Each structure stands twice: as structure tokens, then as C-alpha cells.
Amino acid sequence: MFAADAPTTSSSASSPIGRRFHTGISMRSLSHYTQCEVHALCNPVDLSAEELARVDSLVSEVRTVQRGASLFRANDSFSNLYIVRSGSFKTVVMHRDGREQVTGFQIPGEMLGLDGIVHGRHLCGAMALERSTVCVVPFEPLEDLCRAIKPMQRHLHKVMSQEIVRESNMIMLLGTMRADQRVAAFLLNLAGRYGSRGYSDTEFVMRMTRGEIGSYLGITLETASRMFSKLQHERLVHARGKQVRILDSDGLARL
Amino acid sequence: MFAADAPTTSSSASSPIGRRFHTGISMRSLSHYTQCEVHALCNPVDLSAEELARVDSLVSEVRTVQRGASLFRANDSFSNLYIVRSGSFKTVVMHRDGREQVTGFQIPGEMLGLDGIVHGRHLCGAMALERSTVCVVPFEPLEDLCRAIKPMQRHLHKVMSQEIVRESNMIMLLGTMRADQRVAAFLLNLAGRYGSRGYSDTEFVMRMTRGEIGSYLGITLETASRMFSKLQHERLVHARGKQVRILDSDGLARL
DNA sequence: CGAGTGCTTGAGCTACGTCAACCATAGTGG
DNA sequence: CCACTATGGTTGACGTAGCTCAAGCACTCG
């Protein structure tokens, strides 16, 4: 079950980004207080102190977004990228008939807004699933920086390419997988992303509703719910509401 | 019907890239012979003659790929981007169980290989649907150029963002649309891309098989075939095998 | 001309959607 | 503290869009 298996940024750092416990349960202890900016944009690249400072100074603002509030909406003019510092988001696109589809969920360390670069307008909207904070990265200055610092340029390209890969995986999932496989892939993907960010990769809280999960996975909320029940009966996961524990990740992958 | 509505590159140039007639039928006359390289990479940006020359010199090679042959395969190491000069390609990803899914079709002027940037390996394979030629653009030199020439950098970012948008549209299609809507969207998308490249946007030859179309759209080849028949009965298109004429594009969009 | 490949169409099956009832939890106001 | 409502989740019964399997046709190509 490889679909949607890629975190949105290529920050494969082993040290965590956030300072908040996510589930409150079975967290690795976080030994260092770390500036978010440093990790999200720069961790993957090796920079001099002076270069690091320039990257740091790029982050113009840390913004707080209340639960249910939009960070940006479809058709808003584009000028910033955002990096989730705490909390979580969903991105949604609207069909002309009013139906909307969730196109992604973002957790700390992941990037938002890349879709806006082409036309200078955001094509999806981003809404906070809980009270969240983001680092605001103005795009033009970021481009300037990328012309000056080669590893930074490479990093930005990787982040964008990663997003392309994430979406291909999603296309694969939507094009070929059964409902139970989709839910299993979704859980493994979330687990992997939490894991690589220092949270537990076997137990976490899903901030999104069944409806949002279903929309994301191209199934109805009822089917999503049934699949959670099915996976539970098969002893692959333990799920009560939004709290999930993965019991047999190999089993999930084998579906 | 907005899904998959975006050409892969942001070349919104009104002048055509290729010099070959595509369908042989109802083509606009192509008044200028134009170097492919000039258009595909640079048309959208305003460059000095000297800058243009540097971009031109980037294209190290024009490669010919026979029908059914691979331009690159999944897991090949990544070093070049490619721009289709003539002919057409499909990109495919392989599921671990051996099933493959088509993730895109590329026609002249469109770019291939962006997925390879993240991990330095291609994640999808690219196969020619007919005898085709591509411009080979080595990525590292391209990055160098993008650090030197700001509009070029912006252009590369747009091309990548465009690909992200294209895939989001695909996700929307796969997540929310019925089979007939998918086929309609596919046809309108192809038509638009041919149109913006100077070919006819109402009549063209689909180089891919029903099986490939089905795979791309997340349906079986039988369903794809049935939907072509259905759209034909409804007088929205005229399709005989791979030759298609769009009779009522509004009707297709309204489905 | 025969073989291979792709396309179409039919018949039956099934995974998933739809509709609906019911339960759990959390926030709100008296 | 307890209704009271709103929101989200679960489960069942039933309908259907699209899948599977299968047969036959239409090309292209050696």
C-alpha cells in the first residue's frame, strides 16, 4: 500500500518540529526546543550560519488560524507559502456544482500554497481543522533567496516535486484501490508522517471527520465509517472515533 | 467540467510549437517555422537575445523514441527533464501487485520528468505512444540558469506548479465524477490542449487505446468504450475508433 | 490471408452509494 | 446540574453504476 505515502515536504528530519504533544499518548520525548522556521524550510539543507539567518529572516510572520477558519480561499491572490507550525489543515477544491473535495491534509512541518504559483491565485482553499499556527513565507523573497543560495533552490524544487509525487500517489489510490485499501493507505500514510515528525506512528488522533476522510479518499462518509469498522473487526486497527491505534501495519499494507 | 483542464506547461502561446499536422484535418495553417526549444522552455518569458541563446544552448540533445519504447522507466536515475517536440507519450506508475496506472498523456510542448526531482529517481515511466521526439534538458544546468535569470526561474516554478494543479484536477475528477463525466472531461481537456497549441480543438486523433484512457480515468476499458458510445448517441461527439470530433462541447461540459 | 490487437456490446454480479434511523459526544443556556 | 441542540459516527436495507466475463467484430501487419 504505497499510495499517498509521501509527506508533503521533504523534511525527513528525525528531530521533531513542533513542541506540542499530538495525542498525549505514547509520544517520544522531545528533548530540544527548536525554532520552527529553522526546521521546516532549512533542515534538509546544509547552510552556513549567515545563510541560515537569511532564511530565518524570510519568515515574516507567524499566523494563528482558529478552528474552521480559512488560511486562504480558492481564488485568493497568491503571494505567500505557508508552513504548518502546529495544528492541522485541510485543502479543498470546489466543483462548479457546489460539491467540494478535500485534496489534502497538512500536519506540522508540511507546506501549503504551492498551487498558487502558476496563476498567481490560489486554486484550493485551506482551512484549519483545529486552532493552528503557520509560518508565513513570502514567495518572491523566497525566490530571490533561491537564486542566491543553491542548496535552498534545490530544496524548494524538491518540495515542489514531492508535492507532485504525493499527488501521483493519490491518483493511483483513487484510480485503482478498493475502499478498504484506501482507508488502510490513508492510515499508514498519516502514521508515517506523524512518525517521521517525532510523534507516535502507531497511535494518533485524526483531526478530520469521516466526511472529510471520505471526500479525500473518493468514497462516502458511510463507506469510510464501515471500512474503519471492518479494519477493526479484522484486528488491523483499533479505532474509537478520532482516536486510532494501528495494530498490524503489515496487515494493512497487505490488503 | 473543469477537471484536468490545464496543459502541463504554462505555454499559453498562440503560436504553435510543432510543425507536423496532427490530425491532417482542419488545422490552422502554421505560418512560421519555429525552433521547438525556443517555444517550449522560453516562450512564456521575455528574454534578451543573449539570455535566449543561453537557454537554447541548454538543450543538449533531441532524442527520438520509437512507438512503445520508454523515454525513462520508473526507478531510473533522474538527470534530465524532457519536452515533447513531436508525437505523444503516456506516463505510468506501477502498483506493487503488477497493475499499472496511466498518470498522464503528454503532447508536443508539454514537459516530462518533474517527478524525478525529489528523490533523484523517476517514479513513473514514460512511453511513446507513437514515434516521437523530445528535447533533452539537463536539470542541473537548468537550475544554474534559473539562478542567473529571474524570469526563467519564475517560469520553471510555474511549470512545476502547473503540474501540481493538473494533478489536483485529476484528483477531483477521480474523486467526484461519474464515468461519462470523466470521459467528457478527458475529451475537453485534450481538445483544449491541442487548441492552445495550434491544432484543431474539435477534431483530433487520440493516440492512446481505450485501455489506457480507462486506466487514466480510473475506469475499465469497457466502461470507457461504453461512454464513448453513449456520448455519441447523445450527439455530443462523433467517435470512430481513435478519430474524434467534438460536436457539442458545452453539452459535454454540462454533463 | 491468418494472427494479433484493439474496440464494442451484452449479461450478470458486486462494491459502493443512497436514504434513513439511531446513538454518542460536546457545547449552550437555563 | 440537567435538558436541549448540533454535530459527528455507526449501522442497516436497498438500489445502481460500473466491473467482470465473454463473445464477436474491425482493423493492421507480417
Side-chain angles (χ1 to χ4, degrees):
Chain A
M1 206 79 8
F2 302 121
D5 225 344
T8 293
T9 75
S10 52
S11 161
S12 52
S14 55
S15 49
I17 285 151
R19 296 173 308 286
R20 300 164 66 241
F21 280 19
H22 184 72
T23 63
I25 299 167
S26 78
M27 281 286 302
R28 291 186 211 163
S29 76
L30 308 179
S31 45
H32 297 94
Y33 175 97
T34 46
Q35 283 284 359
C36 161
E37 299 91 288
V38 175
H39 278 82
L41 258 184
C42 325
N43 218 10
V45 287
D46 213 21
L47 300 181
S48 70
E50 186 253 346
E51 288 171 334
L52 254 176
R54 289 181 65 184
V55 177
D56 252 27
S57 71
L58 206 63
V59 174
S60 60
E61 182 192 350
V62 174
R63 193 177 301 170
T64 298
V65 187
Q66 296 302 329
R67 177 197 163 111
S70 290
L71 178 59
F72 53 81
R73 291 167 200 274
N75 219 34
D76 279 1
S77 90
F78 163 82
S79 50
N80 303 312
L81 296 176
Y82 304 92
I83 295 162
V84 181
R85 207 183 146 93
S86 68
S88 51
F89 288 81
K90 66 171 174 181
T91 47
V92 294
V93 288
M94 191 74 114
H95 215 144
R96 62 161 158 42
D97 60 15
R99 284 179 307 164
E100 67 173 33
Q101 180 171 6
V102 175
T103 54
F105 298 110
Q106 293 76 31
I107 64 172
E110 298 183 342
M111 195 174 275
L112 283 157
L114 291 171
D115 64 300
I117 300 171
V118 221
H119 297 118
R121 324 206 131 265
H122 286 288
L123 295 169
C124 64
M127 180 181 286
L129 297 176
E130 60 194 306
R131 189 171 175 287
S132 304
T133 55
V134 294
C135 297
V136 180
V137 185
F139 185 63
E140 282 232 30
L142 174 63
E143 277 188 319
D144 295 342
L145 202 67
C146 285
R147 266 179 285 112
I149 306 177
K150 187 169 174 174
M152 204 54 217
Q153 177 197 37
R154 172 53 62 101
H155 179 53
L156 177 62
H157 290 166
K158 285 194 175 187
V159 169
M160 296 183 73
S161 176
Q162 177 67 280
E163 179 64 11
I164 291 172
V165 170
R166 185 191 75 84
E167 291 192 340
S168 312
N169 287 333
M170 208 55 215
I171 288 172
M172 185 86 195
L173 176 143
L174 292 169
T176 66
M177 289 163 80
R178 291 194 317 270
D180 58 346
Q181 296 175 317
R182 294 184 193 196
V183 172
F186 169 73
L187 288 173
L188 289 176
N189 173 256
L190 259 191
R193 284 153 68 193
Y194 279 129
S196 76
R197 281 167 177 75
Y199 301 114
S200 166
D201 62 355
T202 55
E203 184 156 11
F204 48 87
V205 175
M206 299 178 292
R207 303 327 289 223
M208 60 297 282
T209 68
R210 295 290 189 268
E212 286 160 346
I213 295 172
S215 168
Y216 179 60
L217 297 177
I219 56 182
T220 59
L221 70 95
E222 293 93 332
T223 300
S225 176
R226 277 185 248 270
M227 292 308 125
F228 277 108
S229 301
K230 174 173 178 279
L231 297 180
Q232 175 128 319
H233 281 131
E234 292 170 355
R235 310 271 155 177
L236 298 172
V237 305
H238 180 81
R240 279 200 56 245
K242 301 191 191 256
Q243 180 76 44
V244 218
R245 181 169 30 191
I246 292 179
L247 302 176
D248 178 1
S249 63
D250 290 346
L252 286 175
R254 250 183 277 112
L255 277 181
Chain B
M1 207 77 10
F2 303 121
D5 226 342
T8 294
T9 75
S10 53
S11 162
S12 53
S14 55
S15 50
I17 285 152
R19 296 173 309 285
R20 299 165 66 241
F21 280 19
H22 184 72
T23 63
I25 300 168
S26 77
M27 281 285 303
R28 291 186 213 163
S29 77
L30 309 179
S31 44
H32 296 94
Y33 176 97
T34 45
Q35 282 285 359
C36 161
E37 300 91 285
V38 175
H39 278 81
L41 258 184
C42 327
N43 218 9
V45 286
D46 213 22
L47 300 181
S48 71
E50 186 252 346
E51 288 171 335
L52 253 176
R54 288 182 65 185
V55 177
D56 253 26
S57 71
L58 205 63
V59 174
S60 61
E61 181 192 350
V62 174
R63 193 177 300 170
T64 298
V65 187
Q66 297 302 329
R67 176 197 164 108
S70 290
L71 177 59
F72 53 82
R73 294 167 197 274
N75 220 34
D76 279 1
S77 89
F78 164 81
S79 50
N80 303 312
L81 296 176
Y82 305 91
I83 295 163
V84 181
R85 208 181 143 94
S86 69
S88 51
F89 288 82
K90 65 171 175 179
T91 47
V92 293
V93 288
M94 191 74 114
H95 215 145
R96 61 162 160 45
D97 60 15
R99 285 179 306 164
E100 67 173 34
Q101 179 171 6
V102 175
T103 54
F105 298 109
Q106 292 77 31
I107 64 172
E110 299 183 340
M111 194 173 275
L112 282 158
L114 291 171
D115 65 300
I117 300 171
V118 220
H119 298 116
R121 326 206 130 261
H122 286 289
L123 296 169
C124 64
M127 179 181 288
L129 297 175
E130 59 195 304
R131 189 171 176 287
S132 304
T133 55
V134 295
C135 297
V136 180
V137 185
F139 185 62
E140 282 232 30
L142 174 62
E143 276 188 318
D144 295 341
L145 203 66
C146 286
R147 266 179 286 111
I149 306 178
K150 188 170 175 174
M152 203 53 217
Q153 178 197 35
R154 172 53 62 102
H155 178 54
L156 177 62
H157 290 165
K158 285 195 175 186
V159 168
M160 296 183 74
S161 176
Q162 177 66 280
E163 179 64 11
I164 291 172
V165 170
R166 185 191 75 83
E167 290 191 342
S168 308
N169 287 332
M170 208 55 214
I171 287 172
M172 185 85 193
L173 177 143
L174 292 169
T176 67
M177 289 163 80
R178 290 195 316 270
D180 57 347
Q181 296 175 318
R182 295 185 193 196
V183 172
F186 170 73
L187 288 173
L188 289 175
N189 173 255
L190 258 191
R193 285 152 67 191
Y194 279 130
S196 76
R197 280 167 177 76
Y199 301 114
S200 166
D201 62 355
T202 55
E203 185 156 11
F204 47 88
V205 175
M206 299 178 292
R207 303 326 290 223
M208 62 296 284
T209 67
R210 295 291 189 267
E212 286 160 347
I213 295 172
S215 169
Y216 179 59
L217 297 177
I219 56 183
T220 60
L221 70 95
E222 292 94 333
T223 300
S225 176
R226 278 185 247 269
M227 292 307 124
F228 277 108
S229 301
K230 174 173 178 278
L231 297 180
Q232 176 129 318
H233 281 130
E234 293 170 355
R235 310 271 155 177
L236 298 173
V237 304
H238 180 82
R240 281 200 55 247
K242 299 187 193 260
Q243 181 75 42
V244 217
R245 181 168 30 191
I246 292 180
L247 302 176
D248 177 2
S249 64
D250 291 346
L252 287 175
R254 252 182 276 110
L255 278 181

